[in-house]
Amino acid sequence: MEKKYDITIIGSGLSGLICGYILSKEGYKVCILEKNKQFGGCLQTFVRDRCIFDVGVHYIGGLAEGQSLNQYFKYLGIMDDLKLQRMDMDAFDVISFEGNPTAYKMAQGHERFIDSLSEQFPTERIAIKNYNKAIQDICKQFPLYHLEVDKAYPTNFEHLMINAKDKIASLTSNPTLQAVLAGNNILYAGRGSATPFYLHAMVLNSYIESAWRCVDGGSQIARLLVKNIRANGGDIFKRKEVDQFVFDGAKIKAVRLTTGEEITTKEVISSAHPTQLSRFVRGQNGHLRKAYLNRINNIKATPSVFSAHYTLKPNTVKYINRNHYHNKTTAMWDAIDYNQKNWPSTYLALTPNVSKNSIYADSFAAMCYMDYQEVQQWGNTFNTVSNEQSRGEDYEAFKQEKAAALLEQLYKQFPQLKGNISNTYVSTPLSFRDYIGCPTGSLYGFERNYKDPMRTALAVQTRIPNLSLTGQNVNVHGILGVTVSGILACLKFTDRKKLLTDIVSAT
């Protein structure tokens, strides 16, 4: 490791890697510091019984030719090398409800999406068309979502202040259709009293455009970006955790690692969770206002998840090229506030895609909401591959109890799993906290609230002149959201129009 850089980037999640690629390509001497054993943040994968599981990237939207993420990935030099499979065109997502035998299908492509849902709700075609138009219209308010080079962001915030639940209800009075349109809202931690319509729209629109699985896991995105960053002359290091900033006057002059090493730098981009700023500036009064840090530390976080990962007996369970969202009730906007009697209130289930067998799945994965308070009694423990520690027998018993409860629910929709599971591996909010660095294992960072959209809107530029922020808390979560976040952080160091023109013209 060299000791002096133009730009030091904290964290190797997707937004940090994108910053590293763009700025190293622009000729800056760049260093990326990752505290974990593996690069990629939520792009990480892990292997159990020779089966690959994704931490966070279960499927990706907007990757077809001519679509935004496809163009971003072309510019990043990774599109041609990704191993992808397009999901079921007639049903990339299936939505079901307890007590209702119908499995509702969401199809890819806007016209196909309208036609498919209209077949399932014959009297609601106009409402479905209006819904489809509404999500596309609000996405147009975000120029980088559609890579519009010359379009400026709106100067008012009206488009941020529309409630998702209310907007959908205004488009259709059919309660089942309302529930179906919100049926996969674990994708963005949908809450009826808070979630803005733009967030719902940006997530759903991307998948309706096109939906894809990464074959053999999403960590390939990180691996390809790391390769390209190094080819550009950038440095990237694992197991290098930043402890605090060292200041010279108002500016950061170096970052100090937990090992005591110091790296001199002209600029810092942090993709770490914003609550880490309190640690980074500790003892350095005045560099960031207390009110700013208090706001960050008190913003409501989205909940975390409980994930179960099952390895399967060979050639017993067929691969399913769609996701299945199952819900206890049609009160989808309340599912996030589950209680122990109805847990899991909603879950996502899927078979990861692997190259070694195109017919049979070698594993099965399911995830559902879990509040950090359920594991808070073990909150003083820490456990990762590079720093293994036991959380105790009571924690293991807790995991197994929850895993058994979830599996009983899965059997109802996937009876083919019975007798065909080899092993079960479980992660809780503590796992997400320890690997990703979110204080409570929050799945999507800060909760967005249509009533007060600017409270959770963190600017890229901070009060510290040479400190910028990126990541899902700066823009929105998801592959496309954090890609845009990375682009925004780079605009300080590059010409906006030139960069966007280069992205649009990439082949």
Side-chain angles (χ1 to χ4, degrees):
M1 178 184 286
E2 297 185 37
K3 298 295 183 182
K4 195 170 185 179
Y5 291 91
D6 294 325
I7 302 171
T8 298
I9 299 166
I10 303 171
S12 71
L14 180 58
S15 61
L17 292 174
I18 286 172
C19 289
Y21 175 81
I22 292 172
L23 297 176
S24 61
K25 185 177 182 179
E26 291 289 320
Y28 290 98
K29 191 174 183 181
V30 171
C31 171
I32 301 178
L33 303 171
E34 170 55 53
K35 71 181 182 68
N36 285 323
K37 182 181 178 181
Q38 188 179 157
F39 298 125
C42 289
L43 296 172
Q44 293 178 64
T45 56
F46 61 94
V47 177
R48 297 290 184 271
D49 300 344
R50 298 183 179 179
C51 297
I52 300 170
F53 293 97
D54 278 294
V55 170
V57 183
H58 299 104
Y59 61 141
I60 304 175
L63 267 181
E65 188 68 33
Q67 295 171 0
S68 296
L69 194 59
N70 177 289
Q71 198 59 40
Y72 278 120
F73 278 10
K74 281 181 179 176
Y75 170 78
L76 296 169
I78 65 174
M79 190 64 218
D80 290 344
D81 295 318
L82 289 175
K83 295 191 295 181
L84 301 166
Q85 182 183 37
R86 192 156 190 174
M87 298 176 69
D88 189 333
M89 293 295 294
D90 294 323
F92 66 91
D93 280 353
V94 169
I95 314 294
S96 64
F97 305 96
E98 196 155 305
N100 183 340
T102 303
Y104 298 95
K105 299 176 181 179
M106 288 189 169
Q108 296 184 56
H110 285 288
E111 291 303 318
R112 188 190 292 256
F113 176 82
I114 293 169
D115 290 343
S116 175
L117 272 184
S118 297
E119 288 178 8
Q120 298 168 80
F121 295 91
T123 63
E124 295 291 318
R125 185 175 183 87
I126 292 175
I128 294 164
K129 287 183 71 173
N130 289 340
Y131 166 82
N132 189 68
K133 182 177 185 301
I135 63 171
Q136 292 185 78
D137 284 349
I138 202 164
C139 287
K140 292 175 183 175
Q141 299 297 313
F142 301 86
L144 292 185
Y145 187 91
H146 288 298
L147 269 173
E148 296 176 280
V149 175
D150 297 316
K151 185 175 179 180
Y153 274 90
T155 55
N156 61 57
F157 306 125
E158 292 178 5
H159 61 293
L160 306 178
M161 302 173 70
I162 304 169
N163 176 262
K165 179 183 177 182
D166 292 345
K167 179 65 176 180
I168 292 173
S170 74
L171 296 169
T172 174
S173 59
N174 185 310
T176 305
L177 178 56
Q178 291 177 19
V180 170
L181 294 175
N184 52 9
N185 74 14
I186 195 175
L187 280 170
Y188 48 90
R191 187 189 303 277
S193 61
T195 301
F197 184 61
Y198 80 83
L199 182 59
H200 164 91
M202 292 174 78
V203 173
L204 263 293
N205 182 72
S206 177
Y207 292 118
I208 292 170
E209 285 185 343
S210 64
W212 308 76
R213 283 226 177 102
C214 287
V215 180
D216 297 331
S219 60
Q220 58 181 297
I221 298 172
R223 288 195 301 271
L224 291 169
L225 282 170
V226 168
K227 177 184 174 182
N228 291 349
I229 290 165
R230 286 175 170 158
N232 288 343
D235 288 338
I236 179 166
F237 303 98
K238 303 175 186 176
R239 297 181 177 177
K240 298 291 183 182
E241 183 175 3
V242 174
D243 183 47
Q244 67 180 116
F245 299 147
V246 180
F247 286 88
D248 181 10
K251 289 187 173 185
I252 300 167
K253 72 172 183 179
V255 295
R256 182 178 297 142
L257 307 184
T258 53
T259 58
E261 298 170 88
E262 287 191 6
I263 299 171
T264 302
T265 187
K266 295 176 183 177
E267 296 277 348
V268 176
I269 299 174
S270 177
S271 70
H273 193 281
T275 55
Q276 294 294 321
L277 291 174
S278 295
R279 179 165 67 95
F280 294 159
V281 301
R282 70 186 185 278
Q284 304 286 339
N285 294 331
H287 289 293
L288 291 174
R289 291 190 178 95
K290 286 185 179 180
Y292 175 76
L293 294 174
N294 287 338
R295 176 166 72 93
I296 287 173
N297 292 332
N298 289 290
I299 295 174
K300 184 179 181 66
T302 52
S304 190
V305 292
F306 177 91
S307 298
H309 312 278
Y310 307 97
T311 57
L312 303 173
K313 295 176 182 178
N315 302 328
T316 58
V317 176
K318 287 190 174 181
Y319 171 72
I320 306 168
N321 196 28
R322 57 179 65 169
N323 302 308
H324 193 120
Y325 292 86
H326 183 70
N327 308 281
K328 283 285 181 71
T329 73
T330 56
M332 282 310 308
W333 296 105
D334 300 326
I336 193 170
D337 296 315
Y338 67 89
N339 57 54
Q340 292 307 314
K341 290 183 179 179
N342 74 348
W343 188 91
S345 58
T346 181
Y347 66 72
L348 160 63
L350 57 93
T351 51
N353 189 300
V354 293
S355 56
K356 59 187 177 184
N357 194 329
S358 61
I359 298 175
Y360 289 95
D362 67 357
S363 62
F364 193 93
M367 58 181 279
C368 51
Y369 288 122
M370 179 168 279
D371 193 277
Y372 184 75
Q373 289 183 346
E374 290 206 52
V375 294
Q376 197 161 19
Q377 61 180 299
W378 302 285
N380 61 348
T381 64
F382 185 89
N383 183 38
T384 62
V385 170
S386 56
N387 186 7
E388 292 189 20
Q389 299 177 28
S390 172
R391 302 193 202 273
E393 293 182 4
D394 53 347
Y395 176 72
E396 294 302 318
F398 167 83
K399 290 198 301 181
Q400 294 310 311
E401 178 186 350
K402 291 293 185 181
L406 176 57
L407 188 57
E408 283 303 309
Q409 295 299 315
L410 291 172
Y411 282 154
K412 296 176 184 179
Q413 298 297 320
F414 303 95
Q416 66 268 40
L417 293 176
K418 288 186 177 181
N420 292 321
I421 294 174
S422 298
N423 287 301
T424 301
Y425 302 93
V426 168
S427 62
T428 74
L430 295 177
S431 313
F432 213 79
R433 179 201 68 180
D434 293 351
Y435 279 100
I436 306 302
C438 302
T440 57
S442 170
L443 186 58
Y444 305 124
F446 298 148
E447 180 176 278
R448 271 64 180 184
N449 194 316
Y450 79 100
K451 297 174 186 174
D452 190 6
M454 301 316 294
R455 179 171 173 76
T456 57
L458 294 186
V460 170
Q461 181 58 52
T462 70
R463 189 166 179 260
I464 298 171
N466 61 340
L467 173 64
S468 304
L469 305 180
T470 190
Q472 67 177 359
N473 290 294
V474 173
N475 193 48
V476 295
H477 68 275
I479 298 293
L480 181 54
V482 296
T483 296
V484 171
S485 176
I487 300 297
L488 291 172
C490 291
L491 296 182
K492 176 181 178 180
F493 310 99
T494 62
D495 179 81
R496 181 184 189 277
K497 187 163 186 177
K498 178 184 179 300
L499 175 59
L500 295 181
T501 300
D502 288 346
I503 293 171
V504 169
S505 61
T507 58

